[in-house]
Amino acid sequence: GVDGTVGKVKETLEETTNSIIDYTKSTIDQAAATTEAAKAAMFADAEFQKLNATKLKEAEDQRKIRDNVNLTFEVRIKANEKLNDILVEQEKLQTAQIQKQITAAELAVKQNGNDENKLALLDAQNAKLELQEAIGGQMSEQITNQTALENELLQVQKELRAEALSGLERELQDLQDSYDAKIEMANKAGVDTTDITKKFEKEQSDIKQKAAD
């Protein structure tokens, strides 16, 4: 009857009203979250620039120590290791700041997927990739210098040990060092080392035989 129809209409209106209220509340909440995220992103950008300047100076200070040939190998190697720690921390902290910008951009796109917001999101994502590339390049340089310093230290230690050896010992050590270097090069080049080893063993035997005569 009429009462039943009225009741259904009333129920439908109530459901519609509740849906509108829920949608409005959701929209308001989303807008508030987007605004808050946008504010955080602005501060994040400023913090990112601050970190960039601070960590750049810290890293350069360690590079100066590392590259100072008047300092000991121990000090220079420690400075290079400290440089690595700085770069790791820089990437971690700056990535966190960029992520705030990405989050804000994602919320903006969700609220309004226009080209401007989509472009802002791409820019934020690209900034993260650029940071990873920049830090990665500096870490590669740090590793290269670490290897160079360690090899230089090893060479100096070999030379000092050689100076303390007698004539025969010195000759045998020089032969051994030469052999080790050739084996290392051959292994890197994927070349068979049998002939190198045979030649080394013969020369070693000749030196010992000559000393015994």
Side-chain angles (χ1 to χ4, degrees):
V2 175
D3 290 342
T5 301
V6 171
K8 289 180 180 180
V9 170
K10 181 179 179 183
E11 183 179 343
T12 301
L13 285 173
E14 287 177 349
E15 290 177 355
T16 301
T17 300
N18 289 333
S19 295
I20 292 172
I21 290 172
D22 290 342
Y23 174 77
T24 302
K25 185 177 184 301
S26 174
T27 302
I28 291 172
D29 289 345
Q30 188 180 49
T34 302
T35 300
E36 195 63 31
K39 186 190 297 183
M42 287 191 295
F43 280 99
D45 182 57
E47 184 62 27
F48 181 92
Q49 300 303 329
K50 179 183 176 182
L51 283 168
N52 202 50
T54 302
K55 294 302 177 183
L56 184 65
K57 183 181 184 307
E58 289 179 7
E60 191 57 33
D61 287 345
Q62 296 306 315
R63 287 192 186 95
K64 287 177 181 177
I65 296 172
R66 179 198 67 193
D67 297 339
N68 187 343
V69 296
N70 294 320
L71 299 175
T72 65
F73 283 109
E74 181 182 8
V75 170
R76 295 173 66 195
I77 289 173
K78 283 185 178 179
N80 200 51
E81 291 171 347
K82 176 65 175 176
L83 172 60
N84 179 70
D85 295 340
I86 291 169
L87 293 174
V88 169
E89 184 180 30
Q90 179 181 357
E91 183 174 22
K92 178 183 176 181
L93 294 176
Q94 288 192 301
T95 296
Q97 300 307 317
I98 290 178
Q99 190 56 51
K100 292 178 183 178
Q101 295 175 311
I102 291 175
T103 299
E106 287 174 339
L107 286 171
V109 168
K110 186 176 180 181
Q111 187 176 20
N112 184 351
N114 59 29
D115 289 344
E116 183 180 356
N117 287 341
K118 288 179 180 178
L119 183 59
L121 175 57
L122 283 173
D123 285 342
Q125 291 169 337
N126 287 339
K128 185 176 181 179
L129 294 174
E130 288 171 1
L131 173 65
Q132 292 171 344
E133 182 181 1
I135 297 296
Q138 292 180 66
M139 284 184 168
S140 294
E141 184 262 357
Q142 185 271 338
I143 292 171
T144 298
N145 277 278
Q146 186 76 14
T147 301
L149 281 169
E150 289 172 353
N151 287 341
E152 189 178 351
L153 173 59
L154 183 62
Q155 184 59 38
V156 169
Q157 289 172 335
K158 281 183 178 180
E159 291 175 2
L160 291 174
R161 282 196 300 269
E163 287 298 326
L165 298 176
S166 65
L168 175 61
E169 292 172 330
R170 176 70 179 269
E171 193 172 1
L172 287 171
Q173 186 60 53
D174 287 345
L175 179 64
Q176 182 69 53
D177 291 343
S178 176
Y179 169 70
D180 291 343
K182 289 175 183 176
I183 289 295
E184 183 179 0
M185 287 190 291
N187 288 334
K188 288 180 179 179
V191 176
D192 184 75
T193 60
T194 303
D195 290 341
I196 298 173
T197 299
K198 284 181 179 179
K199 183 179 179 183
F200 162 71
E201 290 174 346
K202 183 181 183 305
E203 291 177 346
Q204 187 182 56
S205 177
D206 290 345
I207 292 172
K208 290 179 179 179
Q209 183 61 45
K210 183 180 178 182
D213 292 343

